[in-house]
């Protein structure tokens, strides 16, 4: 029987709520199914970036910002393209290549060192470093259209007024050094990386239990260690340590360092088997930057297991449970499937603010992409098919000095740049 028009219309209206169904969980035993879900999350991530649309008022390659003009600082753009490059590499989904290339080229700056003149005044080494890690990833995954050279972190260390020597800047320097050592086969990078790691141990930024603290102030000789632990600090060290383990032909020294960091991070950041931004999540004080860390945690530690397969089963068992909770938190926004941040809470079905953000999408994309790395091949090097022409001097200019920036977390006002 044909329904009268108005009944059909009413029926449509009634069905609207179910049209806004939450993101469908994948079959976690099927790589293809995980890929399909990740594709949805990636598409929703790109809905926050409208840089290709006429009327875009922000620079090409960045998310709306920086505050107060939009939610996101410059570096989050670099981090987002990194998340998409990992996704692309694991899935073969090349539909965003043009946008990624355009963004990396646009933001690489006048000297191809990811210090575009517009941002230098407020930029810390870590901000620049996030873009450099994305360029490194492009090289390691043979991203076709040459983005700027990887590893260009060779800028002076100092931005006036910055006196907080943070772990993330040193961690990125270490991470890139380890990756350049592996990519180029040049031991000089490995030496810089190892010195940086030892400095962080000596200053107790990394302690004997494998905790990775946030930083300290130079006027106090970096002895006033800020004991806050953020997951991106641990993750950047873990990924770098896995590269050093590989570069040193599975040395016991780097295995011990790596295992210590991984054990401690699984305990600190996955208290109930679900990623939890320990320093701020429980009290609801995570700012946008901090709300982006879980994605790096999932991706970088997953990637570490590719080079250190003895960690794979242990890490993946936890990360799969975490990814399940992540997807369960994708139940909001205009289309009903944008993601939340508090996975432990959201996944548990309790109420939580129905906030949406590009960084939440990056996190869930990272969690799903990380699971795909169970079967990933090791990254290419110059000797195994990598085609990026690195610049041997990139990254070498700055000795293992402190990387300076103003205190990001102590003031409660978010990052300074
Ligand atoms: C620099 O700022 C100008 C003016 O705001 C803008 O048009 C341009 O796109 C910016 N360039 C980059 C690389 O961000
Ligand atoms: C990479 O390998 C090619 C060919 O083997 C060689 O000519 C080139 O110098 C290498 N580049 C670097 C940066 O090591
Ligand atoms: C690792 O092994 C390779 C090949 O056997 C060798 O050329 C290289 O020197 C070794 N590196 C280290 C740090 O032991
Ligand atoms: C290795 O890297 C260092 C630092 O960038 C550079 O000075 C040196 O020439 C490189 N060595 C080789 C063999 O390319």
């Amino acid at each position: 029987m044909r329904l009268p028009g108005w009944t059909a219309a009413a029926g449509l209206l009634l069905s609207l709520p179910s049209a806004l169904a939450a993101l469908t969980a994948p079959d976690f035993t099927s790589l293809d199914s995980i890929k399909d879900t990740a594709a949805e999350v990636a598409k929703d991530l790109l809905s926050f970036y409208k840089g290709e649309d006429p009327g875009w008022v922000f620079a090409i390659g960045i998310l709306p910002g920086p505050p107060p003009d939009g939610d996101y600082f410059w570096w989050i753009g670099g981090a987002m393209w990194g998340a998409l490059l990992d996704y692309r590499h694991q899935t073969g989904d090349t539909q965003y290549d043009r946008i990624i290339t355009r963004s990396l080229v646009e933001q690489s700056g006048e000297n191809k060192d990811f210090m575009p003149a517009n941002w230098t005044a407020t930029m810390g080494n870590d901000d620049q470093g996030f873009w450099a890690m994305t360029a490194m990833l492009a090289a390691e995954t043979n991203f076709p259209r040459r983005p700027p050279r990887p590893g260009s972190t060779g800028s002076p260390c100092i931005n006036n007024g910055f006196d907080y020597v943070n772990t993330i800047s040193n961690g990125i320097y270490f991470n890139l050094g380890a990756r350049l050592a592996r990519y180029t086969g040049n031991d000089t990078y490995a030496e810089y990386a190892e010195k940086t790691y030892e400095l962080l141990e000596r200053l107790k930024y990394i302690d004997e239990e494998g905790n990775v603290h946030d930083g300290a102030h130079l006027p106090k000789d970096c002895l006033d260690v800020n004991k806050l632990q953020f997951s991106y600090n641990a993750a950047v060290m873990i990924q770098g340590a896995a590269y050093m383990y590989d570069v040193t032909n599975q040395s016991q020294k780097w295995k011990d360092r790596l295992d210590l960091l991984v054990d401690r991070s699984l305990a600190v950041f996955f208290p109930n088997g679900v990623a939890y931004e320990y320093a701020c999540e429980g009290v609801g004080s995570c700012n946008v930057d901090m709300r982006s860390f879980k994605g790096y945690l999932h991706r970088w530690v997953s990637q570490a297991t590719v080079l250190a397969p003895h960690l794979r089963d242990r890490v993946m068992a936890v990360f799969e449970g975490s990814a399940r909770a992540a997807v369960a938190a994708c139940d909001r926004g205009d289309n009903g499937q944008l993601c939340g941040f508090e996975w432990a809470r959201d996944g548990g079905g309790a109420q939580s603010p129905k906030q949406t953000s590009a960084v939440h999408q990056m996190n869930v994309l990272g969690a799903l992409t990380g699971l795909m790395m169970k079967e990933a091949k090791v990254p290419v090097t110059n000797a195994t098919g990598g085609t990026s022409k690195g610049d041997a001097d990139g990254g070498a200019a700055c000795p293992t000095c402190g990387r300076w920036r103003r205190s990001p977390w102590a003031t409660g006002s978010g990052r300074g740049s």
Side-chain angles (χ1 to χ4, degrees):
M1 189 191 102
R2 266 188 85 228
L3 291 166
W6 59 268
T7 315
L12 268 180
L13 277 179
L14 279 178
S15 70
L16 267 182
S18 66
L20 287 181
L23 185 65
T24 307
D27 169 0
F28 279 94
T29 63
S30 155
L31 200 57
D32 284 338
S33 178
I34 295 173
K35 282 182 187 176
D36 290 344
T37 305
E40 285 293 306
V41 178
K43 187 186 73 195
D44 288 335
L45 167 57
L46 266 295
S47 74
F48 287 86
Y49 178 70
K50 298 185 168 57
E52 302 291 312
D53 295 359
W56 177 251
V57 297
F58 302 101
I60 295 297
I62 68 165
L63 284 161
D69 299 327
D71 283 350
Y72 309 95
F73 287 109
W74 177 71
W75 72 275
I76 295 275
M80 173 174 75
W81 305 121
L84 281 165
L85 278 179
D86 259 339
Y87 160 77
R88 171 198 190 276
H89 185 59
Q90 297 306 325
T91 60
D93 180 353
T94 56
Q95 65 176 303
Y96 305 117
D97 283 12
R98 198 186 56 78
I99 297 178
I100 296 172
T101 304
R102 186 171 177 219
S103 297
L104 295 186
V105 169
E106 189 77 23
Q107 289 303 324
S108 64
E110 298 74 10
N111 301 316
K112 304 272 169 278
D113 58 358
F114 291 110
M115 291 192 79
N118 283 8
W119 310 109
T120 40
T122 55
M123 190 190 292
N125 293 86
D126 47 359
D127 300 274
Q128 184 194 15
F130 264 86
W131 286 90
M133 284 197 291
T134 293
M136 188 74 227
L137 184 58
E140 290 170 335
T141 59
N142 259 338
F143 186 62
R145 272 146 294 183
R146 306 284 157 67
R149 68 186 194 208
S152 347
T153 58
S155 61
C157 299
I158 299 167
N159 251 344
N160 286 334
F162 288 22
D163 69 353
Y164 185 70
V165 180
N166 68 4
T167 302
I168 191 64
S169 295
N170 285 281
I172 291 172
Y173 189 74
F174 163 71
N175 179 293
L176 282 171
R179 291 162 75 177
L180 283 165
R182 183 174 176 280
Y183 190 90
T184 63
N186 182 335
D187 288 340
T188 308
Y189 293 118
E191 285 162 26
Y192 283 129
E194 175 138 27
K195 277 186 195 143
T196 304
Y197 195 93
E198 286 168 354
L199 176 70
L200 292 177
E201 280 183 329
R202 208 161 49 243
L203 291 172
K204 308 270 184 232
Y205 283 30
I206 301 173
D207 72 17
E208 295 79 359
E209 291 172 356
N211 297 304
V212 183
H213 304 297
D214 191 63
H217 292 88
L218 196 81
K220 309 237 164 98
D221 295 330
C222 298
L223 295 177
D224 62 330
V225 173
N226 174 355
K227 292 262 164 91
L228 285 179
Q229 290 190 61
F230 290 99
S231 62
Y232 76 156
N233 289 323
V236 82
M237 300 310 299
I238 287 170
Q239 188 187 37
Y243 274 79
M244 290 303 290
Y245 174 65
D246 189 68
V247 164
T248 58
N249 296 336
Q250 291 76 44
S251 68
Q252 191 63 43
K253 181 168 68 177
W254 281 103
K255 180 175 185 296
D256 290 345
R257 286 170 171 166
L258 179 59
D259 291 355
L260 179 74
L261 292 173
V262 168
D263 284 344
R264 190 63 194 146
S265 286
L266 289 177
V268 171
F269 300 112
F270 297 86
N272 296 304
V274 175
Y276 181 75
E277 198 55 54
Y278 160 85
C280 59
E281 187 168 335
V283 289
S285 65
C286 299
N287 62 24
V288 173
D289 292 344
M290 298 168 192
R291 283 194 276 125
S292 77
F293 296 166
K294 285 177 191 177
Y296 319 134
L297 177 65
H298 267 267
R299 274 169 52 222
W300 298 346
V301 177
S302 297
Q303 212 261 339
T305 71
V306 177
L307 291 168
H310 68 279
L311 293 170
R312 188 184 318 154
D313 290 351
R314 188 150 43 105
V315 166
M316 289 298 170
V318 176
F319 280 26
E320 185 182 311
S322 184
R324 281 177 194 273
V327 170
C330 298
D331 63 350
R332 57 193 64 191
D334 288 346
N335 67 0
Q337 62 173 32
L338 299 185
C339 304
F341 166 67
E342 297 175 307
W343 299 349
R345 205 150 64 130
D346 294 330
Q351 284 291 312
S352 75
K354 291 289 179 190
Q355 213 172 13
T356 62
S357 172
V359 299
H360 300 177
Q361 300 305 122
M362 284 161 58
N363 289 342
V364 179
L365 185 63
L368 294 170
T369 304
L371 292 184
M372 297 176 208
M373 294 182 190
K374 264 186 267 195
E375 304 182 12
K377 294 198 184 67
V378 298
V380 299
T381 68
N382 187 48
T384 61
T387 54
S388 174
K389 297 278 168 284
D391 175 339
D393 291 330
C398 188
T400 53
C401 59
R403 295 317 187 86
W404 307 35
R405 67 171 306 141
R406 89 182 74 115
S407 176
W409 315 129
T411 59
S413 60
R415 288 161 65 115
S417 63

